[in-house]
Amino acid sequence: MYTIVNVAKQSNLTLAYTRLLTNPESTYKNFFRDTYSIYGMASEKNIALLQKSVKAGYLPTQSIRVFMPKANGLNRMYTLLSIEDQIVYQAYANILAKSLTSIPEITKRYKKSVFGNLCAPPESEFFYQRWQDSYKAYTKATIRAFQKGYKYIASFDLTACYDSINHNLLQNILKEKFSFSDNCAKSFTDLIEQWESADGRELGTGIPQGPQASGIVAEAVLQEYDAYIESLQKTMQFVYYRYVDDIRILAPDEDTVKWVLFLLDKKSKELGLFPQSSKISTHEITDIDKEIKRISKPLFEDEFDDEKKSQIATEAIRKLLKEDPADLTSIRRYFQCVTQNSRTNKLAVAAVKKYPNLIHSFAYYVQRYPRVIPPSISNYIYQCCMDKTLQFSAGILLESVRGKLNAVDARKFSDLAKDLLKCDKKTPFIVDCCFKAQLLAFVLRYDTVAFGKRRVSYVSRSNWWVKSSFIHTAEKDGCIAKLGGTVLVDYIKKTDASKYDAADLPLAVANHYLLSGSVHGLPALSEVAPIAQNVLKESGLILRSRYSNSQINKYLFELTQNQYKVPWKKKLGKEHDQVERTLFTALGYWKTDLTAFVNLWDTLDDRICSILTAAHSELGGYQLGKIGGAINRQNSNSSVFRSHLPKFYTMCLEIHEMRLSSYLSHSEIRSTHAYTGPIQQKNRKTILKLIKDGLNELAAFW
């Protein structure tokens, strides 16, 4: 029997946090990457704090709704949960997954009749098995059935599956099928009820759209389908395949398919679920390749230069847009390869107008623009800002043009932002939190005076996600000081949990103090939110004597699992505290944002190289801030450095070159003029090996 004690175990909460970080679905993670990183800087203490809260009866934060565009012009609702709510939700989901995978009647269906949201092993840092493998198996199973003579098919999706799940039904299933205690099942469904009642209504249905935990909650209900189908297969000849809520029934004859479809429709309504009538298709298969949705092939099987790839990708997009329906997955991938010019600009705008759900691909296209964006792009973004129905898209696009607007456009967008924010005060116009956060950032960035006059009215009426996102953006823009100290003080203070205040906001402010390296203006420690205290204490900004032991060896062990005995305070001197804080911050990004980690590690290398060469003249000269010139492959002076510390030199060089190829540093690579982008997770092992080798050599040298 699973109880709240099982949910609240520190090991389970830690695993829940880890699984948030390893979630392969980036759309939801992008709303919280900064928060994940800051929370992780003191994850052990923060989870211990959360554990007490769960045991005492956890009170959730008010959830936030965003509406992401779909291909048909309608919207998909995403539910944004605070960092602590996400961990608690995932912790319950971990217990559910553990119970589910202990039932042979369920796991025997994996990759035989059930293919989506397949649980990984209970202790795995990943929550699900690779979806690519599951979908391939789903496709192959359909092909095999067709080849065996099952030529008639009924395929359909469930309408708004997540939104339709009944809480009472879910509660009963948790108790009867998955060994949840009465209290544990009720606590779980009560949390879901509160998250789904963001608008004040208690509907009794729905689970949050967006968090990966919801997938296993849906599976707990949908396994009722699977069991029912198996009972029918004892007397009827057909096969049944389900990928999440995408269901296929195949049989040798049409009558069987229609009868099973009828019975399944009846079962759906008993569960409070409804097949999407517009997508139901019952027919004889004539072409199996057209029937199934195959995983896209690699874009370029042959080697082409970037210009050739761009030409091929551009023509492919143009051709795909003429098809109905278009292969949007392929379009997204091709857009990663095209070169920005007047022709592709026109094509990109046409694509996102026709298919609004391409907004993230379009934003990435804009973000990669090597220079100031042209009028065709800025005009479209301006139109999005003026359209109430495109506010989510407008928010995403405003974030993508940071630093890419000319002076005239920057002023135009700033004036628009002020007008919309003023309008919102009288007659609400702004309904999307992403949009509002970016509007606030625009006014702060380009019109400090106007922002100062209306600071309270602009910000105070915003929800917790808007405030925390706005603070993160202001920090990145280097203009957070314009907010004024009183705002930051208010947001880092303790709050009454019964008022549904999120931990995300004090974490965002704690990050500001951490990056500034100063606690000037920080309120009395007794007034600071405990979760923010944990971060500031772990960083050494508060409650640590300047004469205390260095934490650098401890931090390096957390990263590399290697023990170091370097006397860092002696070696770094007055630079020690800055290096220690930078390293601490970098570690927070190690699992959440590899691009940010690499950029911070490069600054560490720069500072250490400066200190190192100052103490050892045999290594040659070095100027702080000029690491690129000092370790350049063509720089003859670097040979001296390289001859003494070849592995440390290689670490500095390779990580610096990675930084130069990242979109946090430059829009294009100078040597090749290729577009920059994020540093891929596949580079993690390479980076770690470089760091281990470099640090081992440095430690031996010192």
Side-chain angles (χ1 to χ4, degrees):
M1 186 69 69
Y2 296 107
T3 68
I4 291 177
V5 173
N6 299 105
V7 177
K9 284 184 177 179
Q10 187 157 357
S11 58
N12 185 44
L13 292 170
T14 301
L15 180 61
Y17 170 65
T18 300
R19 284 174 165 175
L20 297 187
L21 306 184
T22 61
N23 178 11
E25 207 283 302
S26 62
T27 302
Y28 195 80
K29 288 169 68 174
N30 287 339
F31 290 101
F32 300 100
R33 288 190 184 276
D34 290 317
T35 303
Y36 290 161
S37 300
I38 303 158
Y39 187 92
M41 293 174 187
S43 59
E44 187 174 341
K45 289 185 177 180
N46 287 335
I47 286 171
L49 193 68
L50 181 59
Q51 184 184 33
K52 294 178 182 178
S53 180
V54 175
K55 287 181 177 179
Y58 184 74
L59 292 172
T61 300
Q62 185 70 55
S63 60
I64 306 297
R65 301 287 178 77
V66 295
F67 296 88
M68 301 174 60
K70 298 168 68 175
N72 60 8
L74 300 177
N75 295 287
R76 174 178 289 106
M77 184 176 69
Y78 259 38
T79 302
L80 304 185
L81 306 180
S82 72
I83 174 68
E84 292 187 317
D85 284 5
Q86 290 180 53
I87 295 172
V88 172
Y89 190 24
Q90 185 63 54
Y92 274 100
N94 288 350
I95 299 300
L96 176 55
K98 186 176 182 179
S99 177
L100 188 149
T101 54
S102 69
I103 303 173
E105 291 78 9
I106 293 177
T107 56
K108 72 178 183 180
R109 302 171 187 143
Y110 278 13
K111 293 186 181 179
K112 293 181 179 177
S113 61
V114 176
F115 299 88
N117 289 337
L118 307 184
C119 297
E123 304 306 319
S124 171
E125 65 177 6
F126 297 96
F127 191 46
Y128 296 117
Q129 299 179 27
R130 277 171 44 92
W131 74 266
Q132 296 92 335
D133 298 337
S134 300
Y135 201 87
K136 285 179 181 177
Y138 181 50
T139 299
K140 289 179 179 178
T142 305
I143 295 172
R144 283 197 302 269
F146 172 75
Q147 292 171 343
K148 290 179 180 180
Y150 293 77
K151 296 184 177 181
Y152 288 86
I153 186 171
S155 57
F156 62 89
D157 295 340
L158 294 170
T159 300
C161 177
Y162 282 19
D163 295 334
S164 304
I165 290 175
N166 182 276
H167 297 162
N168 288 331
L169 173 65
L170 174 61
Q171 187 174 328
N172 290 332
I173 289 174
L174 292 174
K175 291 188 294 184
E176 296 171 7
K177 298 290 181 64
F178 299 106
S179 303
F180 275 55
S181 69
D182 289 351
N183 187 38
C184 190
K186 187 177 186 307
S187 297
F188 190 22
T189 52
D190 282 350
L191 287 174
I192 292 173
E193 176 74 36
Q194 292 181 69
W195 289 326
E196 287 298 288
S197 303
D199 54 4
R201 295 180 298 165
E202 296 184 3
L203 302 176
T205 60
I207 59 177
Q209 185 87 270
Q212 68 173 347
S214 290
I216 204 66
V217 177
E219 286 296 309
V221 175
L222 292 174
Q223 59 84 31
E224 296 286 312
Y225 270 120
D226 309 330
Y228 177 69
I229 285 292
E230 285 184 357
S231 69
L232 296 179
Q233 288 176 318
K234 294 178 181 179
T235 58
M236 301 169 66
Q237 187 181 6
F238 69 94
V239 293
Y240 159 88
Y241 304 129
R242 179 174 65 80
Y243 188 90
V244 192
D245 61 347
D246 182 1
I247 297 171
R248 293 173 182 166
I249 301 164
L250 292 95
D253 59 275
E254 188 175 11
D255 288 343
T256 300
V257 168
K258 287 184 176 180
W259 179 237
V260 175
L261 182 62
F262 173 83
L263 294 173
L264 196 55
D265 180 57
K266 181 173 176 292
K267 184 64 176 179
S268 298
K269 292 178 172 60
E270 291 175 4
L271 296 172
L273 305 173
F274 300 90
Q276 194 165 332
S277 57
S278 62
K279 291 188 177 182
I280 294 177
S281 172
T282 304
H283 58 273
E284 183 179 5
I285 301 172
T286 56
D287 188 333
I288 189 62
D289 288 328
K290 290 184 178 180
E291 191 67 40
I292 60 176
K293 300 175 183 176
R294 293 184 181 271
I295 296 178
S296 302
K297 296 180 180 179
L299 292 183
F300 303 102
E301 297 181 352
D302 300 319
E303 290 293 326
F304 298 107
D305 59 32
D306 290 339
E307 185 177 355
K308 187 67 174 178
K309 284 183 178 180
S310 177
Q311 292 173 1
I312 295 172
T314 301
E315 291 307 313
I317 294 170
R318 194 182 307 279
K319 182 179 178 181
L320 288 168
L321 287 175
K322 293 179 181 179
E323 298 179 358
D324 190 23
D327 181 356
L328 299 186
T329 300
S330 292
I331 290 177
R332 289 188 183 96
R333 297 177 67 191
Y334 278 118
F335 259 124
Q336 297 177 12
C337 306
V338 298
T339 302
Q340 285 84 344
N341 54 47
S342 58
R343 186 173 65 163
T344 53
N345 289 344
K346 186 177 180 180
L347 186 64
V349 171
V352 77
K353 281 184 176 180
K354 186 175 181 180
Y355 297 106
N357 58 328
L358 290 175
I359 183 59
H360 289 96
S361 297
F362 182 73
Y364 183 62
Y365 172 88
V366 174
Q367 190 178 35
R368 291 191 298 113
Y369 225 95
R371 293 166 292 279
V372 174
I373 60 172
S376 59
I377 299 293
S378 62
N379 289 339
Y380 174 71
I381 298 174
Y382 194 87
Q383 292 170 17
C384 288
C385 294
M386 297 292 290
D387 189 334
K388 285 186 178 182
T389 67
L390 295 176
Q391 290 190 21
F392 177 85
S393 298
I396 298 296
L397 292 174
L398 286 177
E399 184 176 18
S400 72
V401 298
R402 290 170 56 209
K404 297 184 183 296
L405 294 174
N406 60 43
V408 174
D409 280 343
R411 173 58 61 182
K412 183 172 73 172
F413 277 95
S414 177
D415 290 342
L416 175 63
K418 287 184 291 184
D419 290 341
L420 293 179
L421 288 168
K422 282 189 278 187
C423 177
D424 189 57
K425 185 178 179 180
K426 300 175 183 177
T427 53
F429 176 94
I430 306 168
V431 295
D432 183 86
C433 60
C434 302
F435 187 45
K436 185 168 186 179
Q438 291 301 319
L439 292 177
L440 289 170
F442 256 83
V443 180
L444 181 64
R445 194 182 308 144
Y446 296 111
D447 198 333
T448 309
V449 175
F451 189 92
K453 290 179 179 178
R454 302 181 179 88
R455 182 179 66 200
V456 176
S457 62
Y458 279 171
V459 183
S460 63
R461 292 179 295 107
S462 304
N463 61 50
W464 59 264
W465 189 91
V466 170
K467 290 175 180 175
S468 56
S469 178
F470 167 59
I471 288 174
H472 286 306
T473 303
E475 185 70 59
K476 293 171 185 175
D477 288 343
C479 57
I480 195 169
K482 299 176 183 178
L483 271 175
T486 57
V487 174
L488 298 176
V489 168
D490 288 344
Y491 292 164
I492 203 171
K493 284 184 176 180
K494 292 178 180 178
T495 54
D496 184 354
S498 65
K499 296 181 180 178
Y500 298 98
D501 291 301
D504 301 53
L505 191 51
L507 283 173
V509 181
N511 183 56
H512 161 68
Y513 283 106
L514 179 63
L515 293 175
S516 69
S518 170
V519 293
H520 177 72
L522 187 73
L525 190 58
S526 59
E527 299 179 18
V528 176
I531 197 167
Q533 286 189 39
N534 289 340
V535 172
L536 296 176
K537 288 176 183 178
E538 283 294 293
S539 70
L541 273 179
I542 58 176
L543 294 184
R544 187 195 295 174
S545 167
R546 61 181 293 190
Y547 303 107
S548 62
N549 295 329
S550 173
Q551 300 298 300
I552 293 179
N553 285 327
K554 172 191 170 186
Y555 295 158
L556 292 178
F557 177 78
E558 291 175 9
L559 176 65
T560 66
Q561 298 302 299
N562 288 346
Q563 295 281 2
Y564 298 102
K565 296 181 179 180
V566 177
W568 291 103
K569 282 206 166 187
K570 179 181 178 180
K571 296 297 183 182
L572 300 179
K574 64 180 182 180
E575 302 287 344
H576 172 270
D577 290 356
Q578 178 63 30
V579 171
E580 187 181 72
R581 280 193 299 272
T582 304
L583 176 59
F584 176 76
T585 308
L587 288 179
Y589 287 103
W590 173 242
K591 290 185 177 180
T592 61
D593 190 338
L594 202 55
T595 307
F597 173 85
V598 165
N599 276 257
L600 283 168
W601 195 272
D602 189 59
T603 67
L604 280 174
D605 288 343
D606 182 36
R607 195 164 291 276
I608 290 174
C609 283
S610 176
I611 296 167
L612 193 62
T613 53
H616 298 273
S617 57
E618 70 273 19
L619 298 178
Y622 189 92
Q623 184 178 351
L624 184 65
K626 303 290 185 179
I627 187 171
I631 63 172
N632 189 293
R633 295 178 190 270
Q634 283 74 46
N635 188 346
S636 59
N637 292 329
S638 68
S639 61
V640 178
F641 195 125
R642 185 167 61 246
S643 64
H644 285 82
L645 293 167
K647 293 181 179 179
F648 183 77
Y649 170 87
T650 301
M651 177 193 74
C652 294
L653 175 65
E654 297 292 338
I655 287 180
H656 182 69
E657 290 185 345
M658 283 187 192
R659 185 186 75 81
L660 294 179
S661 66
S662 79
Y663 59 9
L664 288 183
S665 303
H666 301 286
S667 58
E668 66 177 27
I669 302 171
R670 293 178 184 175
S671 59
T672 64
H673 299 291
Y675 296 115
T676 58
I679 296 171
Q680 302 297 320
Q681 291 298 314
K682 64 182 181 182
N683 293 318
R684 185 181 299 277
K685 288 184 179 179
T686 301
I687 293 169
L688 187 57
K689 187 177 187 308
L690 285 168
I691 289 173
K692 284 183 175 181
D693 291 345
L695 290 177
N696 288 340
E697 187 176 68
L698 178 64
F701 181 81
W702 269 346

